[in-house]
Coordinates of all heavy atoms in Angstrom, one line a residue:
D40 N 0.8 -1.2 0.0 CA 0.0 0.0 0.0 C 0.9 1.3 0.0 O 0.6 2.2 -0.7 CB -1.0 0.0 1.2 CG -0.2 -0.2 2.5 OD1 0.9 -0.7 2.5 OD2 -0.9 0.1 3.6
V41 N 1.9 1.3 0.9 CA 2.8 2.4 0.9 C 4.2 1.8 1.0 O 4.4 0.5 1.1 CB 2.6 3.3 2.1 CG1 1.2 4.0 2.1 CG2 2.7 2.5 3.5
T42 N 5.2 2.6 0.9 CA 6.6 2.1 0.9 C 7.0 1.7 2.4 O 6.9 2.6 3.3 CB 7.6 3.2 0.4 OG1 7.2 3.5 -0.9 CG2 9.0 2.7 0.4
P43 N 7.5 0.5 2.6 CA 8.0 0.2 3.9 C 9.3 0.9 4.3 O 10.0 1.3 3.4 CB 8.2 -1.3 3.9 CG 8.5 -1.6 2.4 CD 7.7 -0.6 1.7
V44 N 9.5 1.1 5.6 CA 10.6 1.9 6.0 C 11.2 1.3 7.3 O 10.5 0.9 8.2 CB 10.3 3.4 6.2 CG1 9.1 3.5 7.2 CG2 11.5 4.1 6.7
W45 N 12.5 1.1 7.3 CA 13.3 0.9 8.6 C 14.6 1.6 8.4 O 15.0 2.0 7.3 CB 13.4 -0.6 8.9 CG 14.4 -1.4 8.0 CD1 14.1 -1.9 6.7 CD2 15.7 -1.7 8.3 NE1 15.2 -2.5 6.2 CE2 16.2 -2.4 7.1 CE3 16.6 -1.5 9.3 CZ2 17.5 -2.9 7.1 CZ3 17.9 -2.0 9.3 CH2 18.4 -2.7 8.2
F46 N 15.4 1.8 9.5 CA 16.6 2.5 9.4 C 17.7 1.7 10.0 O 17.6 1.1 11.1 CB 16.5 3.8 10.2 CG 15.6 4.8 9.5 CD1 14.8 5.7 10.3 CD2 15.5 4.9 8.2 CE1 14.0 6.6 9.8 CE2 14.6 5.9 7.6 CZ 13.9 6.7 8.4
M47 N 18.9 1.7 9.3 CA 20.0 1.1 9.9 C 20.5 1.8 11.1 O 20.4 3.0 11.2 CB 21.2 1.0 8.8 CG 20.9 0.0 7.7 SD 22.2 0.0 6.4 CE 21.6 1.3 5.4
R48 N 20.9 1.1 12.2 CA 21.1 1.6 13.5 C 19.9 2.3 14.1 O 20.0 3.3 14.8 CB 22.3 2.6 13.5 CG 23.7 2.0 13.1 CD 24.8 2.9 13.4 NE 26.0 2.5 12.8 CZ 26.9 3.3 12.1 NH1 26.6 4.6 12.0 NH2 27.9 2.8 11.6
Q49 N 18.7 1.7 13.8 CA 17.5 2.3 14.3 C 17.4 2.2 15.8 O 16.7 2.9 16.5 CB 16.3 1.8 13.6 CG 16.0 0.3 13.8 CD 14.8 -0.1 13.0 OE1 14.5 0.5 12.0 NE2 14.2 -1.2 13.4
A50 N 18.1 1.2 16.4 CA 18.2 1.0 17.8 C 19.6 1.5 18.2 O 20.6 1.0 17.7 CB 18.0 -0.4 18.3
G51 N 19.7 2.5 19.1 CA 21.0 3.0 19.5 C 21.0 4.3 20.2 O 20.0 4.8 20.8
R52 N 22.1 5.0 20.1 CA 22.4 6.1 21.0 C 21.6 7.4 20.8 O 21.6 8.3 21.6 CB 23.9 6.5 20.9 CG 24.8 5.5 21.5 CD 26.3 5.9 21.3 NE 26.6 5.7 19.9 CZ 27.8 6.1 19.4 NH1 28.7 6.8 20.2 NH2 28.1 6.0 18.2
Y53 N 20.8 7.5 19.7 CA 20.0 8.7 19.5 C 18.7 8.6 20.3 O 18.0 9.6 20.5 CB 19.6 8.8 18.0 CG 18.6 7.9 17.5 CD1 17.2 8.3 17.3 CD2 18.8 6.5 17.3 CE1 16.3 7.4 16.9 CE2 17.9 5.7 16.8 CZ 16.6 6.1 16.6 OH 15.6 5.2 16.2
M54 N 18.5 7.4 20.9 CA 17.3 7.2 21.7 C 17.6 7.3 23.2 O 18.5 6.7 23.7 CB 16.6 5.8 21.4 CG 16.2 5.6 20.0 SD 15.1 4.3 19.8 CE 13.6 5.0 20.4
A55 N 16.8 8.1 23.9 CA 17.0 8.3 25.4 C 16.9 6.9 26.1 O 17.7 6.7 27.1 CB 16.0 9.3 25.9
E56 N 16.0 6.0 25.7 CA 15.9 4.8 26.4 C 17.2 4.0 26.3 O 17.6 3.3 27.3 CB 14.7 3.9 25.8 CG 13.4 4.6 25.7 CD 13.1 5.2 24.4 OE1 14.0 6.1 23.9 OE2 12.1 4.9 23.7
Y57 N 17.8 4.0 25.2 CA 19.0 3.3 25.0 C 20.2 3.9 25.8 O 20.9 3.2 26.5 CB 19.4 3.2 23.5 CG 20.8 2.5 23.3 CD1 20.9 1.2 23.3 CD2 21.9 3.3 23.1 CE1 22.1 0.5 23.1 CE2 23.2 2.6 22.9 CZ 23.2 1.3 22.9 OH 24.4 0.6 22.7
R58 N 20.2 5.2 25.9 CA 21.3 5.9 26.6 C 21.2 5.6 28.1 O 22.2 5.4 28.8 CB 21.3 7.4 26.4 CG 21.6 7.8 25.0 CD 21.9 9.3 24.9 NE 20.8 10.1 25.2 CZ 19.9 10.5 24.3 NH1 20.0 10.2 23.1 NH2 18.9 11.3 24.7
E59 N 19.9 5.4 28.6 CA 19.7 5.0 30.0 C 20.3 3.6 30.3 O 20.9 3.4 31.3 CB 18.2 5.1 30.3 CG 17.7 6.5 30.5 CD 18.4 7.3 31.6 OE1 18.6 6.7 32.7 OE2 18.9 8.4 31.3
L60 N 20.0 2.7 29.3 CA 20.6 1.4 29.5 C 22.1 1.4 29.5 O 22.7 0.6 30.3 CB 20.1 0.5 28.4 CG 18.8 -0.4 28.6 CD1 18.6 -1.3 27.5 CD2 18.9 -1.2 29.9
R61 N 22.7 2.2 28.6 CA 24.1 2.2 28.5 C 24.8 2.8 29.8 O 26.0 2.6 30.0 CB 24.6 3.0 27.3 CG 24.4 2.3 26.0 CD 25.3 1.0 25.9 NE 26.7 1.3 26.2 CZ 27.5 1.7 25.3 NH1 27.2 1.8 24.1 NH2 28.8 1.9 25.7
K62 N 24.0 3.5 30.6 CA 24.6 3.9 31.9 C 24.8 2.7 32.9 O 25.7 2.8 33.8 CB 23.6 4.9 32.6 CG 23.5 6.3 31.9 CD 22.5 7.2 32.6 CE 22.3 8.5 31.8 NZ 21.3 9.3 32.5
K63 N 24.1 1.6 32.6 CA 24.2 0.4 33.4 C 25.1 -0.7 32.8 O 25.6 -1.5 33.5 CB 22.8 -0.1 33.7 CG 21.9 0.9 34.4 CD 20.5 0.3 34.5 CE 19.5 1.3 35.0 NZ 18.1 0.7 35.1
Y64 N 25.1 -0.7 31.5 CA 25.7 -1.8 30.8 C 26.6 -1.4 29.6 O 26.3 -0.3 29.0 CB 24.6 -2.8 30.2 CG 23.6 -3.3 31.2 CD1 22.3 -2.7 31.2 CD2 23.9 -4.3 32.1 CE1 21.4 -3.1 32.1 CE2 22.9 -4.8 33.0 CZ 21.7 -4.1 33.0 OH 20.7 -4.6 33.9
T65 N 27.6 -2.1 29.4 CA 28.5 -1.8 28.2 C 27.7 -2.3 26.9 O 26.8 -3.1 27.0 CB 29.8 -2.5 28.3 OG1 29.7 -3.9 28.2 CG2 30.5 -2.1 29.6
L66 N 28.2 -1.9 25.8 CA 27.7 -2.4 24.5 C 27.8 -3.9 24.5 O 26.8 -4.6 24.1 CB 28.4 -1.8 23.4 CG 28.1 -2.3 22.0 CD1 26.6 -2.1 21.6 CD2 28.9 -1.6 20.9
L67 N 28.9 -4.5 24.8 CA 29.1 -5.9 24.7 C 28.2 -6.7 25.7 O 27.7 -7.8 25.4 CB 30.6 -6.3 24.9 CG 31.5 -6.0 23.8 CD1 32.9 -6.3 24.1 CD2 31.1 -6.8 22.5
E68 N 28.0 -6.1 26.9 CA 27.1 -6.7 27.9 C 25.7 -6.8 27.3 O 25.0 -7.8 27.5 CB 27.1 -5.9 29.2 CG 28.4 -6.2 30.0 CD 28.5 -5.3 31.2 OE1 27.9 -4.2 31.2 OE2 29.2 -5.6 32.2
I69 N 25.2 -5.7 26.6 CA 23.9 -5.7 26.0 C 23.8 -6.8 25.0 O 22.9 -7.6 24.9 CB 23.5 -4.4 25.5 CG1 23.4 -3.3 26.6 CG2 22.2 -4.4 24.7 CD1 23.2 -1.9 26.2
C70 N 24.9 -6.8 24.1 CA 24.9 -7.8 23.0 C 24.9 -9.3 23.6 O 24.3 -10.2 22.9 CB 26.1 -7.6 22.1 SG 26.1 -6.1 21.1
K71 N 25.6 -9.5 24.7 CA 25.7 -10.8 25.2 C 24.6 -11.3 26.2 O 24.7 -12.4 26.7 CB 27.1 -11.0 25.9 CG 28.2 -10.9 24.9 CD 29.6 -11.1 25.5 CE 30.7 -11.1 24.5 NZ 32.0 -11.4 25.1
T72 N 23.6 -10.4 26.4 CA 22.5 -10.7 27.3 C 21.2 -10.7 26.5 O 20.8 -9.6 26.1 CB 22.4 -9.7 28.4 OG1 23.7 -9.6 29.1 CG2 21.4 -10.1 29.4
P73 N 20.7 -11.8 26.1 CA 19.6 -11.8 25.2 C 18.4 -11.0 25.6 O 17.7 -10.3 24.7 CB 19.2 -13.3 25.1 CG 20.5 -14.0 25.3 CD 21.2 -13.2 26.4
E74 N 18.1 -10.9 26.9 CA 17.0 -10.1 27.3 C 17.2 -8.6 27.1 O 16.3 -7.9 26.8 CB 16.7 -10.4 28.8 CG 16.2 -11.8 29.2 CD 17.4 -12.8 29.2 OE1 18.6 -12.4 29.1 OE2 17.1 -14.0 29.2
L75 N 18.5 -8.2 27.2 CA 18.8 -6.8 27.0 C 18.8 -6.5 25.5 O 18.3 -5.4 25.0 CB 20.1 -6.4 27.6 CG 20.2 -6.4 29.1 CD1 21.6 -6.1 29.5 CD2 19.3 -5.4 29.7

């Protein structure tokens, strides 16, 4: 019906929610913890 859209690096540092998580965990800790 319309053009689909997603963005590379759409999850990451531009989002406040992600920056809050990064105060607690490193990037590798997030990658290695499936729930995160």
